[in-house]
Amino acid sequence: MGALSTRERVLWYIGGALICLYALVPVAWIVSLSFKSSSDINNRQFLPTSASWENYQTIFTGNAAELFLPALRNSFAICLIATFVAVVLSMFAAYAIARLDFPGKRVVLTSALAVAVFPVITMVTPLFNLWRQVGLYDTWLGLIIPYLALTLPISIWTMSAFFRQIPWDMEQAAQVDGATSWQAFRKVIVPLAAPGVFTTAIIAFFIAWNDFVFGISLTSTDAARPVPAALSSFTGASYFEQPTGAISAAAVIVTIPVVLLALLFQRRIVAGLTNGAVKG
């Protein structure tokens, strides 16, 4: 492929700028709303008339703090636990898929992909009824299990691609030197698959963090309600006032962890996805 001409390069820059503008304008609008006071919300200008921290005070110390802060704690704890369990289980499953020959291996991968694209809304009603009967409704475990249904299939599919790239001669060499199968897996295979493990963990965390359907359907109190569900419960100062500013401020706070993870580890994420996409 030859070098791009000046005209082609300019067109690529313009296209990239338009895509970035299309993606960032809604985010910038939410940030702007979060700094608008109650009297300034109906202002049709993009920027606030005068920047105010009123909405952030509302969600951290005001009448919305009782909803937002427990939900933020729940989201962090539930998503981290679900991510950890999904990564550990997918490592063993991906190792077996990549290393062992057994009947139905392709069926396992195909089933994992099918579950990953299965409509979430179809699982809510059966889970709601089952969770009420077994006592898992409105609990952390009652959300962790459905989150595993979201994160585990895509984790298995993604990580199996990384394990296929690992030279298995190194595992055999470790076993020849006296290492057991478990020691070879833990000390040789897992370190080599670290970029894939890290990438899978980031993707799994994003999926769990952004869930709304399970969070709103399987919780009812602050005991386990995550942030996306809590945002729908915000109320204004009066019956006739919409909590637009408080919701925008909470949305900004909730987005910060995702943005920080993407910015801090973007090279490892891209490297991991690239390695996983290359077939040996």
Side-chain angles (χ1 to χ4, degrees):
M1 183 176 178
L4 296 176
S5 64
T6 302
R7 181 174 177 274
E8 291 174 334
R9 190 178 294 109
V10 170
L11 290 177
W12 274 107
Y13 284 142
I14 293 175
L18 290 176
I19 293 173
C20 291
L21 186 65
Y22 177 79
L24 293 178
V25 164
V27 178
W29 179 250
I30 293 176
V31 174
S32 175
L33 286 176
S34 71
F35 285 103
K36 289 185 176 183
S37 61
S38 301
S39 59
D40 199 23
I41 286 293
N42 294 326
N43 180 7
R44 294 183 178 273
Q45 296 179 358
F46 184 82
L47 296 176
T49 303
S50 59
S52 171
W53 293 95
E54 173 187 327
N55 297 313
Y56 291 94
Q57 292 174 351
T58 299
I59 64 173
F60 283 115
T61 60
N63 55 9
E66 295 181 358
L67 273 174
F68 180 71
L69 295 181
L72 191 63
R73 177 203 63 199
N74 292 336
S75 284
F76 270 113
I78 293 171
C79 293
L80 287 175
I81 294 172
T83 299
F84 176 78
V85 175
V87 170
V88 172
L89 293 180
S90 62
M91 272 198 304
F92 292 113
Y95 175 82
I97 291 171
R99 184 74 175 91
L100 305 177
D101 290 325
F102 57 90
K105 183 164 67 173
R106 287 186 175 273
V107 175
V108 173
L109 280 176
T110 305
S111 300
L113 185 61
V115 172
V117 299
F118 199 76
V120 175
I121 193 65
T122 60
M123 297 185 284
V124 169
T125 301
L127 277 178
F128 175 82
N129 295 328
L130 179 61
W131 269 203
R132 293 292 295 266
Q133 294 175 5
V134 300
L136 289 179
Y137 180 77
D138 201 26
T139 63
W140 282 14
L141 185 59
L143 279 183
I144 291 172
I145 295 175
Y147 284 178
L148 288 177
L150 296 177
T151 58
L152 192 55
I154 193 65
S155 298
I156 293 174
W157 183 272
T158 304
M159 201 171 295
S160 61
F162 293 102
F163 275 86
R164 291 194 190 100
Q165 311 305 316
I166 298 175
W168 299 110
D169 293 341
M170 300 186 66
E171 181 186 13
Q172 295 173 352
Q175 292 177 344
V176 169
D177 291 338
T180 64
S181 298
W182 168 247
Q183 289 174 333
F185 173 79
R186 182 168 56 89
K187 297 183 179 180
V188 177
I189 301 301
V190 173
L192 290 175
V197 173
F198 189 86
T199 303
T200 303
I202 294 293
I203 295 174
F205 181 83
F206 286 173
I207 293 173
W209 184 262
N210 292 326
D211 170 73
F212 174 77
V213 177
F214 284 135
I216 196 66
S217 304
L218 302 180
T219 62
S220 59
T221 68
D222 295 337
R225 183 190 290 125
V227 169
L231 295 185
S232 65
S233 302
F234 278 14
T235 58
S238 67
Y239 180 80
F240 301 98
E241 181 180 341
Q242 294 294 327
T244 306
I247 292 176
S248 299
V252 172
I253 297 299
V254 171
T255 306
I256 288 176
V258 177
V259 173
L260 288 178
L261 286 174
L263 292 177
L264 292 175
F265 305 111
Q266 58 180 327
R267 290 188 177 181
R268 297 192 64 176
I269 294 173
V270 172
L273 291 175
T274 304
N275 291 336
V278 177
K279 290 186 177 181

